[in-house]
Amino acid sequence: MSTHTVTQRHAQVSGAGLFTTIGRRFLAVALTFAAVGATAANRVEDISYASAPDGTTEITIKLAAPPSAPRAFATDSPPRIAVDFEDTQNGLTERRINVGSGAAASVSAVEAGGRTRVVVELFHPAAFDSRIDGNNLVLSVGKASTSSAAVSAEPTSSGVSQPVVKQVDFRRGTNGEGRILVSFDKDGAGTDLRREGNKLIVDLFDVTLSNDLPVRLDVTDFATPVQFIETRERAGGARMEIQTGGVIEHMAYQTGNELVIEIAKASVKEDERQKLGEPVEYKGTPVTFNIQDIPVRSALQLIADVSELNIVVADSVSGNVTLRLVNVPWDQALDIILQAKGLDKRRQGNVVWIAPTAEIAQREQALEDARIALEDRAELVTEYIPINYGSAEEIAKLLTENALQGEQQGQGADQDKNLQKGFLSKRGSVTFDKRTNTLLVNDTADKLKELKELIALLDRPVDQVLIESRIVVATDSFSRELGARFGVSGAYEDHHGNVIASSGTITATDQMINRALANRLAGRPSGLPVATPGSNGSGIVGPSLANRLNVNLPASTGAGSFGWSVLAADYILDLELSALQTEGRGEVVASPRVITANQREAVIKQGDEVGYVTISAQGGGGGVPIPQVQFKEVLLELKVTPTITQDDRIFLAMNVKKDEVAGFISTSIGDVPQINKRELNTAVLVENGQTVVLGGVYEFKTREDLAKVPFLGDLPALGNLFKKKTRDTSKAELLIFVTPKILRQRGKN
């Protein structure tokens, strides 16, 4: 049997030497602190806090003298804010001050090396800013934010010009992490960092980009989790998109005019990898075992010697094991032994407890029961949580939604004593005050801490969308008419006394014949066969113009006309040519504008109600009909629901209506309106600030009319005297222009 043995070295120190060493170290530490106290120029005297109405918490650090510009930074895991005061003593009697307001949980101060660090423990990552007020440094801890970027505690100048992003640099750290360095020409830039999938989005507020700044940096060759960095301008500042690969951890801090972002691969624990179903990566020293039928406890001792771990084996572990392993990591060999014998392990530091699986499960169950029992006996605390952006009623409903579902399914407290009421414990309760929009939560302190973190994520400002639209109804019309009026009237009496008359109508010829008969009866000589009308006229009276026209096809309303008449000895010739051409262009523009929150429907209407009369019979169908006045809406209506996508585009679900009164139809009971309706119902994806044209209804009408005298109207050239031509062309088009703009809320997650 061959075994792998490990020699352990034990260092021993005599009693006198040990105390001598401790004394020397104590004396050195005392001298160090004495020197620091002698050279320290300032002193932290007091720390206080206050809650602001907007949900922020102001922490005031009082010093003996006005502080020099301290440096502040923030971390995400764990969430905290740290402020360093150089050459400053810690004069506080309490090491830790519980706050429990807003995002701040507690404040602690530690002095070392002539420097005092004040650490603000947070419930969750939150933005902050600072200012110096006399001998005080005031930290304003804001609402929840995914941003880990810290700002310098130095007061920023309020100049007119904005900070300029001078350079975006990238470096590789010693452990393979990526470091992004953003340099500004001066301080005062605001930052916000959030994670979207495999990207980190860094918003830079109130800054401009340098002209020579590269838009895209490809850093794949650096072998870091960062692949490329894209920087571009946006409304109100600039945006950086950092593309990453794999599971990452990030940290950011800002000092003065420089922002540093560190991105590294996330460290996944062994138990987490097992939960995710990923294979365990063994990193132990390779060992070779060839053992047969030895006690399990002896095999575990061999593993302890190799790994240099403290292994505690339960008394219930027994049996023998046979192993043959060649160059196998010791941690894998340990797992093989545990799986073969139905054992499991729990590790705390460098101490590993090994016991049968059932025993470990029973112990953990007992611990869980003890935790639940302790929670049942824990003191209930009441907390008043103001809601800034959401609805206290809706959040209260959300916190207890699971309890309501359980009640609907018939689950009672007797069926499951450990049943939680939604996100509350089984003894917790929540109510709300609609007037002040405040939640009233009664629960244990640990559960309240979880609830405040959850509420901080839910209670955040929602981005809004400004929707500007233009509705254009364009019309174009063209009309042309050509017409003529032509007539030949005449009468002739030959030597035999025959009278021949011709005109446009039988009425005209009758007038001329009757006048000839009257002359013949009076014995008057006929003279000229045609004479002008008069009291003493002779001959044949000429008829009126309306009765002597052979062709009467003039333009409807002659814009221009030409008349020509010939009066001869025995006939009258009349000719009139008329023409009309009309052109018309019209444009009706409406510009509805509305602002709404993300994923909230907005409706805007403008127009009139047109009344008309209807008749309805009395009950039973008999009696006198009853007139009733009803109204019809004639509106310009815009109904839109915007949805902001992750890439800052906007999805619009729109319904647009544009009605107008075209005219009225006369009936026996009054006029009834005739309404032209135009409606568009669509959904479109639009870039932020981009104008999109939504096509509406396009109408095109062409009409040509011809009225003529048969045969004569077909004669070349001369036929134009015997016909009327009309040509009408009309166009109408509905266009809708929509421009959505995102109104981003600063400090939003």
Side-chain angles (χ1 to χ4, degrees):
M1 178 183 68
S2 68
T3 60
H4 184 89
T5 60
V6 177
T7 303
Q8 296 183 347
R9 300 177 180 176
H10 301 275
Q12 296 182 355
V13 182
S14 62
L18 178 63
F19 286 108
T20 302
T21 302
I22 294 176
R24 291 177 179 176
R25 293 182 178 179
F26 179 82
L27 180 60
V29 171
L31 292 175
T32 301
F33 278 94
V36 170
T39 59
N42 210 340
R43 178 185 179 91
V44 178
E45 296 182 346
D46 187 23
I47 297 178
S48 60
Y49 65 91
S51 299
D54 60 349
T56 61
T57 302
E58 289 192 350
I59 300 173
T60 302
I61 305 172
K62 182 180 179 181
L63 296 98
S68 57
R71 299 292 181 179
F73 64 94
T75 60
D76 283 349
S77 182
R80 61 179 54 169
I81 301 169
V83 183
D84 290 335
F85 296 90
E86 300 292 341
D87 298 331
T88 303
Q89 291 181 327
N90 181 19
L92 300 178
T93 58
E94 298 180 12
R95 180 179 175 86
R96 182 183 180 92
I97 301 174
N98 294 323
V99 178
S101 175
S106 62
V107 181
S108 59
V110 179
E111 178 186 357
R115 180 182 63 180
T116 297
R117 171 170 291 184
V118 178
V119 180
V120 181
E121 300 287 346
L122 305 176
F123 293 114
H124 48 74
F128 74 97
D129 57 16
S130 61
R131 69 179 188 274
I132 296 177
D133 185 8
N135 294 353
N136 301 326
L137 176 70
V138 181
L139 288 177
S140 296
V141 182
K143 305 171 185 66
S145 172
T146 57
S147 174
S148 62
V151 295
S152 173
E154 298 178 2
T156 58
S157 61
S158 57
V160 178
S161 61
Q162 296 179 338
V164 179
V165 181
K166 298 173 53 180
Q167 185 180 9
V168 177
D169 194 10
F170 181 84
R171 300 176 184 177
R172 187 180 189 274
T174 56
N175 297 323
E177 72 273 13
R179 291 173 53 91
I180 302 170
L181 289 82
V182 183
S183 301
F184 307 92
D185 64 340
K186 61 180 180 180
D187 57 1
T191 61
D192 182 76
L193 186 145
R194 64 183 184 275
R195 187 169 178 178
E196 296 181 358
N198 292 332
K199 290 184 179 180
L200 287 179
I201 307 299
V202 183
D203 288 334
L204 307 175
F205 302 111
D206 301 327
V207 301
T208 57
L209 299 180
S210 177
N211 295 329
D212 58 349
L213 191 69
V215 177
R216 183 182 176 97
L217 292 178
D218 191 348
V219 295
T220 308
D221 296 337
F222 286 84
T224 68
V226 184
Q227 297 176 355
F228 63 84
I229 307 166
E230 186 174 356
T231 307
R232 65 179 186 271
E233 291 186 350
R234 63 186 300 272
R239 169 169 293 181
M240 295 179 58
E241 292 186 2
I242 305 172
Q243 182 68 43
T244 62
V247 184
I248 63 167
E249 296 175 345
H250 65 274
M251 180 185 69
Y253 60 92
Q254 183 175 346
T255 57
N257 56 355
E258 187 178 55
L259 172 65
V260 181
I261 304 172
E262 294 185 358
I263 302 173
K265 293 183 178 180
S267 58
V268 182
K269 298 181 179 178
E270 180 178 332
D271 54 349
E272 295 178 349
R273 296 174 63 92
Q274 292 177 348
K275 291 179 182 179
L276 296 174
E278 299 179 4
V280 180
E281 182 179 359
Y282 297 104
K283 300 181 180 180
T285 303
V287 295
T288 299
F289 287 153
N290 187 6
I291 53 180
Q292 296 182 0
D293 198 26
I294 67 170
V296 175
R297 306 175 72 89
S298 299
L300 295 176
Q301 181 61 43
L302 294 177
I303 298 294
D305 295 338
V306 175
S307 62
E308 298 183 358
L309 291 177
N310 300 313
I311 297 180
V312 180
V313 183
D315 296 338
S316 55
V317 176
S318 60
N320 295 342
V321 64
T322 298
L323 294 175
R324 177 173 175 81
L325 304 174
V326 180
N327 293 329
V328 176
W330 66 261
D331 45 358
Q332 185 178 4
L334 177 60
D335 287 345
I336 293 173
I337 296 174
L338 299 180
Q339 295 174 8
K341 305 304 294 183
L343 305 176
D344 202 353
K345 67 177 185 295
R346 294 292 183 268
R347 180 170 180 174
Q348 294 182 354
N350 64 341
V351 178
V352 179
W353 177 52
I354 297 177
T357 304
E359 183 177 340
I360 291 180
Q362 184 178 0
R363 176 178 177 274
E364 291 179 345
Q365 182 63 42
L367 293 175
E368 181 65 17
D369 294 341
R371 186 192 64 80
I372 295 175
L374 182 62
E375 183 177 300
D376 293 340
R377 295 191 299 269
E379 182 182 0
L380 297 180
V381 182
T382 301
E383 185 82 19
Y384 306 95
I385 305 175
I387 306 299
N388 298 309
Y389 303 102
S391 172
E393 182 178 2
E394 295 179 357
I395 294 179
K397 181 180 179 181
L398 176 64
L399 296 178
T400 57
E401 188 175 2
N402 291 344
L404 297 177
Q405 294 177 357
E407 293 176 0
Q408 294 175 359
Q409 297 174 1
Q411 297 178 355
D414 296 337
Q415 296 180 358
D416 190 355
K417 296 182 179 180
N418 299 326
L419 178 66
Q420 293 188 344
K421 294 187 289 185
F423 291 92
L424 306 174
S425 66
K426 62 180 181 178
R427 295 193 300 152
S429 62
V430 60
T431 186
F432 61 91
D433 180 26
K434 183 178 293 185
R435 182 180 62 86
T436 60
N437 202 34
T438 303
L439 286 178
L440 289 79
V441 185
N442 183 258
D443 214 320
T444 62
D446 294 339
K447 184 59 68 173
L448 276 177
K449 182 179 179 181
E450 297 177 3
L451 291 175
K452 291 178 71 175
E453 295 178 0
L454 175 62
I455 294 172
L457 295 176
L458 299 175
D459 184 29
R460 58 181 183 178
V462 180
D463 291 337
Q464 295 180 324
V465 180
L466 170 63
I467 302 167
E468 298 176 329
S469 61
R470 290 174 61 88
I471 303 173
V472 181
V473 181
T475 58
D476 189 0
S477 61
F478 175 82
S479 177
R480 176 182 293 174
E481 296 184 24
L482 299 174
R485 294 198 297 176
F486 175 74
V488 179
S489 300
Y492 177 76
E493 185 177 359
D494 61 9
H495 62 281
H496 296 290
N498 298 320
V499 179
I500 301 173
S502 175
S503 188
T505 63
I506 192 67
T507 302
T509 60
D510 183 65
Q511 290 178 355
M512 293 185 288
I513 294 296
N514 287 336
R515 188 61 177 173
L517 292 175
N519 291 339
R520 183 174 296 181
L521 292 176
R524 301 171 183 164
S526 60
L528 293 174
V530 178
T532 58
S535 58
N536 57 352
S538 63
I540 303 174
V541 178
S544 63
L545 178 62
N547 290 323
R548 65 176 186 258
L549 292 176
N550 299 103
V551 179
N552 191 10
L553 298 173
S556 301
T557 304
S561 61
F562 173 77
W564 185 64
S565 297
V566 177
L567 177 62
D570 54 359
Y571 68 90
I572 299 176
L573 176 62
D574 299 304
L575 175 63
E576 183 189 68
L577 301 177
S578 58
L580 173 66
Q581 178 173 318
T582 59
E583 297 180 8
R585 291 181 175 86
E587 187 175 275
V588 180
V589 181
S591 299
R593 177 177 180 180
V594 65
I595 298 178
T596 183
N598 185 27
Q599 299 183 352
R600 290 293 183 92
E601 183 184 67
V603 180
I604 184 172
K605 298 181 179 179
Q606 181 186 5
D608 301 320
E609 288 189 348
V610 181
Y612 58 95
V613 180
T614 61
I615 301 296
S616 60
Q618 294 184 352
V624 180
I626 302 175
Q628 295 181 349
V629 179
Q630 296 188 3
F631 293 90
K632 179 66 176 179
E633 290 184 343
V634 181
L635 301 174
L636 165 64
E637 181 180 1
L638 173 64
K639 185 184 297 181
V640 59
T641 303
T643 301
I644 301 175
T645 63
Q646 294 294 330
D647 54 354
D648 275 354
R649 294 193 289 178
I650 306 168
F651 183 82
L652 297 176
M654 300 181 58
N655 182 266
V656 183
K657 295 182 180 179
K658 181 67 172 71
D659 302 338
E660 62 181 9
V661 179
F664 291 87
I665 302 175
S666 298
T667 64
S668 59
I669 59 174
D671 295 337
V672 179
Q674 185 179 5
I675 300 175
N676 290 337
K677 297 181 66 68
R678 300 178 178 90
E679 183 175 356
L680 176 66
N681 192 355
T682 185
V684 62
L685 184 64
V686 188
E687 296 286 344
N688 182 25
Q690 179 185 7
T691 299
V692 62
V693 181
L694 306 179
V697 180
Y698 180 77
E699 298 179 359
F700 182 83
K701 297 181 180 179
T702 301
R703 181 181 178 90
E704 293 185 359
D705 296 323
L706 176 64
K708 65 181 181 179
V709 178
F711 180 71
L712 297 178
D714 297 330
L715 297 176
L718 188 60
N720 292 325
L721 301 177
F722 301 95
K723 60 186 175 182
K724 174 184 176 182
K725 293 182 179 179
T726 304
R727 181 181 180 183
D728 293 325
T729 304
S730 62
K731 302 177 184 178
E733 186 175 8
L734 173 64
L735 297 176
I736 301 173
F737 303 85
V738 180
T739 305
K741 298 179 181 178
I742 299 176
L743 305 180
R744 182 73 67 184
Q745 303 296 314
R746 295 184 60 174
K748 175 184 160 302
N749 287 348

